[in-house]
Amino acid sequence: MLEDVGDGTAAAERLAGGAPLRDTLDVTDPADWLALDAAVREVAWYHPHPVPSWEQSAPLHADLSRLGESRLALALCHRDGRIRQEALRQSGRYPGLLPLVVIRCADWAGPVREHARRVLGETLDAGSALDLAPLILRVGRRDRGAFGVEVLGQVLRRASRGQFAVLFAEPDRAVRRFAYRLAVEDRLLRSAELARAAVTDQDSVVQDLCATAALAALGEDDDYEGVLPLLLSARNPRTRSAGVTALRRAERSEEAEPFLRDRSALVRACARYVVRQRGGDPAALYREWCGAPDDPALPPGAVIGLAECGNRADAGLLRPLLAHPAAGVRARAVAGLRALDCADAERLRPLLDDPAAGVVRETVAALLPSAGELPADWLLERTGSEWPRHVRVGAFRLLDARGGVVALRAAVGLLQDPDVKLRTWAAQSVQRWHPSPGERHDGAEVGELLDRSRHLFSDFVLRRRKWEAGAGS
């Protein structure tokens, strides 16, 4: 693989010496063709009368019909448009040069561009289209690159079902997107096939496209049994949410109730819509589930779901869940109290020592608005190296939000922390630190803290920061 233009220049020199094309670059990789094309003309971008190194050592013959495949490839990329155009006339002798014809279809020179388009329109068939699709779509993003994409679409529409299906497994996601769009537009796939693609493909664009198309196709074949179970089991929340919403249309709204406890907020919102449409009360169901704080099987989604559709009075159901044995439930209980604006600092403070990092993260987010009310010494103690990393991070975030000398003290203390990310955050905190307006502090202590972190400042900035803090020079 050619990593950059420098590699492309070296490849051009090897081709000028007669090296076989397939031994010089990966002919299946669009990036290699593009790098070669850029490298052959690179010198033209920097010098008024360029002669590339490969052309100095082995100039092209005036009669391009006498060139072999390797040197004709250089002619197709040449800085002189007349040579590129003549090379296109000779390109039919070597089908392996068709990728460079694709690139020339977006050429800046009109005569070259039009000639390349005629060649591509006459040459591209279903077999070559499958191989060239990744390159055609990449060139299609350029100015004047749309022609190749149009021809690709026309050719693929004439391909057999088996040939076309190969593109669904193409590693290049742009190719898969293009193929599925064509399939949807031309109704080549049944709803169950689209649903299966929405579940199995790793690209979110393909997932959304196929899930939407699968549900739209249901109006024609009503194959709910072949579509809904697939969509409802998908890992992607958007795909699951599409399946949940379709339950109402399938007159199976009762099946939406379990999805009220889904881990995704989007899926829960769609489930609440479906349940309400059939006359149900999601809030009542959430209250029933959360009313058993000792239930070890309580899903975390039910806890945060109560906060999403409940009211402040429901905080009474969430507070007992702060002691639930499942970390996910504890974390969602904290998040729920925060969403209901019922996060009490004294009640949540013990959760900063929770063994689960997710619980501590949610607790910190809930306590940030009241960081100034928390005991500074208690937080400083938790930045010590004997505490777990997530506890140190949480305590430092709260101290940093609190500001003042205590934030500087915590940040300087963490400059030697064993965790590299925490050291970096601490250094950034020291660099942006300024005295808090109206805060009384010991200038000598501030000066000593700044001296310990002098490697983070220029001499001027250090003196300025000390002067701001009244710490002398």
Side-chain angles (χ1 to χ4, degrees):
M1 177 179 179
L2 307 183
E3 297 290 344
D4 51 31
V5 172
D7 287 351
T9 301
E13 293 175 353
R14 292 195 295 273
L15 292 175
L21 197 63
R22 291 182 176 273
D23 294 345
T24 306
L25 66 156
D26 183 354
V27 296
T28 65
D29 188 349
D32 275 25
W33 291 106
L34 294 170
L36 175 66
D37 178 56
V40 170
R41 295 193 312 280
E42 181 194 21
V43 69
W45 304 334
Y46 303 107
H47 302 289
H49 302 291
V51 178
S53 57
W54 64 266
E55 198 169 359
Q56 293 176 21
S57 59
L60 294 176
H61 198 282
D63 183 2
L64 299 189
S65 65
R66 300 176 62 179
L67 297 182
E69 184 182 46
S70 298
R71 290 171 62 74
L72 189 59
L74 298 176
L76 282 166
C77 305
H78 201 275
R79 67 189 186 282
D80 189 326
R82 291 166 295 185
I83 293 178
R84 296 199 301 277
Q85 187 172 5
E86 177 60 26
L88 284 167
R89 295 190 179 96
Q90 304 296 329
S91 63
R93 295 187 288 124
Y94 299 106
L97 296 180
L98 193 55
L100 292 175
V101 175
V102 171
I103 296 174
R104 295 281 71 81
C105 287
D107 199 281
W108 69 271
V112 177
R113 187 169 64 247
E114 294 306 318
H115 196 122
R117 290 177 176 181
R118 286 197 299 272
V119 173
L120 184 67
E122 296 168 358
T123 307
L124 194 68
D125 56 21
S128 57
L130 298 178
D131 295 331
L132 291 176
L135 176 62
I136 292 173
L137 293 175
R138 284 189 64 168
V139 175
R141 296 198 291 264
R142 296 180 171 183
D143 291 341
R144 303 177 292 270
F147 175 84
V149 179
E150 294 173 3
V151 173
L152 177 65
Q154 294 168 5
V155 171
L156 290 178
R157 283 187 165 99
R158 298 194 297 268
S160 69
R161 176 67 180 268
Q163 289 175 313
F164 193 87
V166 171
L167 298 179
F168 298 147
E170 168 65 41
D172 190 320
R173 65 181 182 182
V175 175
R176 297 201 309 278
R177 292 174 182 179
F178 184 79
Y180 277 113
R181 287 192 182 103
L182 285 182
V184 169
E185 290 172 8
D186 295 351
R187 300 183 179 182
L188 300 179
L189 298 176
R190 297 189 302 275
S191 56
E193 293 173 312
L194 290 166
R196 191 171 298 108
V199 172
T200 58
D201 200 280
Q202 299 301 307
D203 181 57
S204 59
V205 173
V206 172
Q207 292 167 357
D208 288 348
L209 173 70
C210 292
T212 302
L215 294 176
L218 281 175
E220 302 169 8
D221 52 31
D222 292 331
D223 184 19
Y224 288 106
E225 286 301 327
V227 173
L228 288 183
L230 286 169
L231 298 182
L232 293 173
S233 65
R235 289 173 57 87
N236 182 273
R238 290 175 61 88
T239 304
R240 285 203 310 282
S241 67
V244 170
T245 305
L247 287 171
R248 177 171 177 261
R249 178 174 152 194
E251 298 182 353
R252 294 161 56 173
S253 298
E254 67 282 355
E255 296 180 28
E257 188 173 302
F259 291 93
L260 292 171
R261 301 171 290 188
D262 195 89
R263 60 184 180 274
S264 164
L266 176 62
V267 176
R268 292 194 299 270
C270 292
R272 287 195 291 271
Y273 163 77
V274 175
V275 169
R276 289 189 183 108
Q277 292 301 306
R278 66 184 288 263
D281 183 0
L285 291 170
Y286 284 130
R287 291 180 183 118
E288 178 183 347
W289 293 327
C290 295
D294 297 327
D295 180 7
L298 177 64
V303 179
I304 190 63
L306 176 58
E308 289 168 344
C309 69
N311 52 53
R312 290 173 62 90
D314 293 314
L317 290 173
L318 296 180
R319 290 189 184 103
L321 298 175
L322 297 175
H324 195 276
V329 172
R330 297 197 302 276
R332 298 301 179 272
V334 175
L337 290 170
R338 178 188 173 206
L340 295 173
D341 196 22
C342 295
D344 178 68
E346 283 303 313
R347 189 183 295 270
L348 295 182
R349 197 179 88 179
L351 291 175
L352 288 172
D353 297 340
D354 198 279
V359 177
V360 175
R361 279 196 300 271
E362 290 291 351
T363 302
V364 170
L367 292 178
L368 279 174
S370 55
E373 302 173 14
L374 299 173
D377 291 340
W378 185 84
L379 290 174
L380 275 171
E381 177 189 350
R382 279 152 181 76
T383 62
S385 59
E386 68 276 11
W387 290 88
R389 179 187 182 275
H390 65 274
V391 174
R392 302 200 308 277
V393 170
F396 176 61
R397 284 187 62 195
L398 291 169
L399 288 166
D400 191 48
R402 181 189 185 105
V405 176
V406 68
L408 179 63
R409 195 180 301 143
V412 172
L414 288 170
L415 292 178
Q416 304 301 321
D417 193 88
D419 184 81
V420 63
K421 287 187 177 181
L422 192 47
R423 289 200 306 270
T424 301
W425 295 334
Q428 292 169 347
S429 177
V430 172
Q431 289 172 322
R432 66 173 178 264
W433 181 86
H434 291 276
S436 297
E439 182 191 34
R440 300 183 63 181
H441 55 261
D442 183 348
E445 180 192 11
V446 172
E448 188 270 335
L449 291 171
L450 292 174
D451 282 336
R452 287 170 56 188
S453 54
R454 64 169 55 251
H455 62 285
L456 300 174
F457 301 100
S458 67
D459 291 341
F460 171 79
V461 172
L462 182 61
R463 288 196 303 271
R464 177 81 181 189
R465 205 59 53 85
K466 285 184 176 182
W467 176 79
E468 289 179 16
S473 58

